[in-house]
Amino acid sequence: MAGIYIHVPFCYSRCSYCDFYKTTDQSLKHEYIKAICKEIELNSQFFLNNVVNTLYFGGGTPSTLSCNELAIIFEKLKKSSDNFSPAEITMEVNPDDVTDAYVEELVVLGVNRISMGIQSFSDDHLRKMNRRHNSSQAIDAIRILKSHGIKNISIDLIYGLPYMSFDQWKSNVQKALDLDVAHVSAYHLTFEKGTPYYDYLKKGIFKEIEEDDSVRQFDYLVKEMEQNGFINYEISNFCKPFSQSHHNSNYWTGEKYLGLGPSAHSFDGNKRLWNFCDLQKYCAFVQNGGVYFEEEELTRIDRYNELVMLGLRTKEGIDVNRLKAILNTELNVYFQDEIRNQIEHGNIQIVDNYYRVTDDKRFITDRIISELFYITD
Ligand code: SF4
């Protein structure tokens, strides 16, 4: 099984915390669609050799594309192989792009999962993040999606905001639960270089919240989500039973995927490839037969670090057998030493042949991962 990710780099405005590759210039949309179609052609072997079970439109803001523009891409994908019929087709949307007419057409195209960046239900927070929607638009968008029969809806929330009180976070979690969606992704704010929020941090306008406050917000989130029937199947992701993102789960279990569009990443089982983060350059190179990506063969150490990083973030943990297939003697000595230490500190436990982070240490998962990383000089 394999996945396809299509990066749509267009946004109508820039959110103050975001460092994803994007542009607010819409003038290259036509060139972009042509380049995506060409890139599909260039990867004909991928379509012939793999059964694609997930298709994911991420961004940027995929809902900046009209249904006609999306239809051109879908048409090309269908022509790429006789049996192109992914079971899960996800599209990221912005709440204020969700209209009856748009959703109706998305359903006709085959989109059956929607991921919507709500981030907060406070209009004050949304303004501070420079989001272009407000809270009532988000709630209305969910109603519209459901009225068109879309059951598999995921929403994104952000916590750890410097101006958000604990009570406001509690209210956001409760409002998310009231929406009765199948999936919630909740991310702690990180200050990424190149974003306005990073500058505010450096200038002292913002201060990172205390770790105790982050832990309190995370613990509240996990407790409320689990009490309401959600499974915390990955550190930032919660789903109702059988509603996990298959696309993202495939990343975490090392399946192959093809990334199309500027900045998109691919994995063919041995190599990682990443397309240029420059729309103009990407379009020109794809059309003119140039090399529009960089690539790297994964070493044994890369594979080990990746398995640790992706595996420990999931509820299931790291499959001992997958780990054994990667470790050589040197890595095994290192791993056994480190894991013993983590187990002694109560950070990791072994359950059913999986190493997993213990429930009460979930918030420090990234720290545990970094301690298990094998770093070469
Ligand atoms: S968060 Fe989404 S909508 Fe906002 S700038 Fe980033 S990619 Fe665009």
Side-chain angles (χ1 to χ4, degrees):
M1 291 292 184
I4 294 183
Y5 172 82
I6 300 185
H7 190 80
V8 183
F10 305 101
C11 291
Y12 290 127
S13 55
R14 288 172 185 274
C15 304
S16 311
Y17 55 85
C18 171
D19 76 332
F20 293 146
Y21 177 65
K22 62 196 171 288
T23 173
T24 51
D25 177 0
Q26 314 291 313
S27 66
L28 280 178
K29 260 187 198 158
H30 183 64
E31 289 308 309
Y32 164 80
I33 302 282
K34 279 198 336 202
I36 291 287
C37 290
K38 179 77 180 184
E39 204 187 351
I40 292 169
E41 270 173 33
L42 294 172
N43 284 284
S44 56
Q45 284 305 314
F46 179 90
F47 291 92
L48 290 176
N49 298 338
N50 294 288
V51 176
V52 175
N53 68 330
T54 64
L55 169 62
Y56 192 106
F57 288 87
T61 312
S63 53
T64 54
L65 295 184
S66 69
C67 285
N68 285 343
E69 287 163 335
L70 287 166
I72 296 169
I73 299 174
F74 271 92
E75 207 43 48
K76 193 74 190 178
L77 287 167
K78 281 184 194 144
K79 281 191 189 145
S80 64
S81 95
D82 293 339
N83 56 356
F84 184 81
S85 180
E88 180 185 278
I89 303 181
T90 304
M91 182 147 148
E92 291 180 357
V93 300
N94 217 58
D96 57 341
D97 292 328
V98 176
T99 62
D100 277 305
Y102 194 64
V103 177
E104 202 174 306
E105 290 191 66
L106 290 184
V107 171
V108 171
L109 287 172
V111 174
N112 55 17
R113 184 172 184 274
I114 292 289
S115 172
M116 189 157 68
I118 290 183
Q119 317 309 0
S120 173
F121 293 95
S122 152
D123 287 341
D124 179 46
H125 294 172
L126 293 169
R127 268 190 302 275
K128 286 186 169 118
M129 287 186 252
N130 200 34
R131 296 288 304 177
R132 64 183 162 94
H133 71 279
N134 60 36
S135 169
S136 62
Q137 282 173 312
I139 293 165
D140 210 39
I142 299 287
R143 180 192 59 73
I144 292 172
L145 291 168
K146 287 185 177 176
S147 75
H148 288 274
I150 296 189
K151 296 190 183 75
N152 207 349
I153 301 172
S154 178
I155 62 169
D156 288 356
L157 296 178
I158 298 185
Y159 63 105
L161 293 164
Y163 41 76
M164 184 175 73
S165 68
F166 183 58
D167 281 345
Q168 287 172 327
W169 175 237
K170 281 166 71 178
S171 161
N172 276 347
V173 173
Q174 292 307 324
K175 283 185 177 144
L177 288 167
D178 290 346
L179 290 178
D180 192 24
V181 290
H183 192 281
V184 175
S185 300
Y187 302 98
H188 194 288
L189 175 71
T190 52
F191 292 88
E192 304 294 344
K193 218 171 177 171
T195 63
Y197 270 21
Y198 182 83
D199 294 341
Y200 298 162
L201 185 71
K202 291 291 143 198
K203 288 178 186 156
I205 298 168
F206 279 169
K207 210 166 122 282
E208 284 191 75
I209 71 165
E210 298 295 328
E211 182 166 317
D212 283 355
D213 293 328
S214 295
V215 173
R216 194 166 167 227
Q217 291 179 14
F218 178 74
D219 286 349
Y220 179 79
L221 169 74
V222 173
K223 181 174 80 49
E224 287 299 307
M225 298 306 287
E226 290 184 342
Q227 276 177 3
N228 284 278
F230 283 83
I231 303 159
N232 185 197
Y233 71 111
E234 197 265 353
I235 184 89
S236 306
N237 287 285
F238 300 82
C239 68
K240 290 271 177 67
F242 312 111
S243 297
Q244 75 266 36
S245 160
H246 293 288
H247 185 80
N248 289 341
S249 298
N250 286 351
Y251 289 155
W252 304 328
T253 51
E255 301 289 336
K256 292 179 190 174
Y257 54 88
L258 173 66
L260 304 170
S263 83
H265 285 228
S266 304
F267 176 58
D268 71 357
N270 296 307
K271 270 185 303 188
R272 293 221 168 274
L273 299 91
W274 54 101
N275 291 353
F276 292 159
C277 292
D278 180 323
L279 178 59
Q280 223 160 355
K281 209 165 139 190
Y282 162 80
C283 291
F285 280 48
V286 168
Q287 292 298 357
N288 302 328
V291 178
Y292 56 91
F293 55 83
E294 292 181 73
E295 59 182 307
E296 98 182 328
E297 190 105 20
L298 292 188
T299 64
R300 189 182 291 277
I301 292 171
D302 293 335
R303 285 168 178 277
Y304 162 79
N305 284 339
E306 231 170 64
L307 185 60
V308 166
M309 181 177 71
L310 300 176
L312 284 184
R313 289 181 61 90
T314 64
K315 185 178 179 67
E316 206 172 32
I318 304 173
D319 179 345
V320 171
N321 292 323
R322 269 188 77 200
L323 187 67
K324 274 186 189 158
I326 291 176
L327 296 178
N328 59 11
T329 313
E330 182 191 348
L331 269 173
N332 192 34
V333 170
Y334 172 81
F335 177 76
Q336 294 306 335
D337 223 34
E338 293 297 322
I339 204 76
R340 195 177 312 113
N341 189 25
Q342 296 293 341
I343 292 170
E344 277 169 15
H345 283 86
N347 295 341
I348 300 273
Q349 56 184 345
I350 304 177
V351 184
D352 300 334
N353 240 11
Y354 280 81
Y355 291 107
R356 69 174 62 142
V357 175
T358 49
D359 283 349
D360 59 336
K361 298 294 173 73
R362 266 188 271 182
F363 186 75
I364 59 158
T365 296
D366 285 342
R367 196 175 307 158
I368 298 169
I369 289 170
S370 69
E371 287 170 11
L372 283 165
F373 265 2
Y374 188 87
I375 311 282
T376 48
D377 296 331

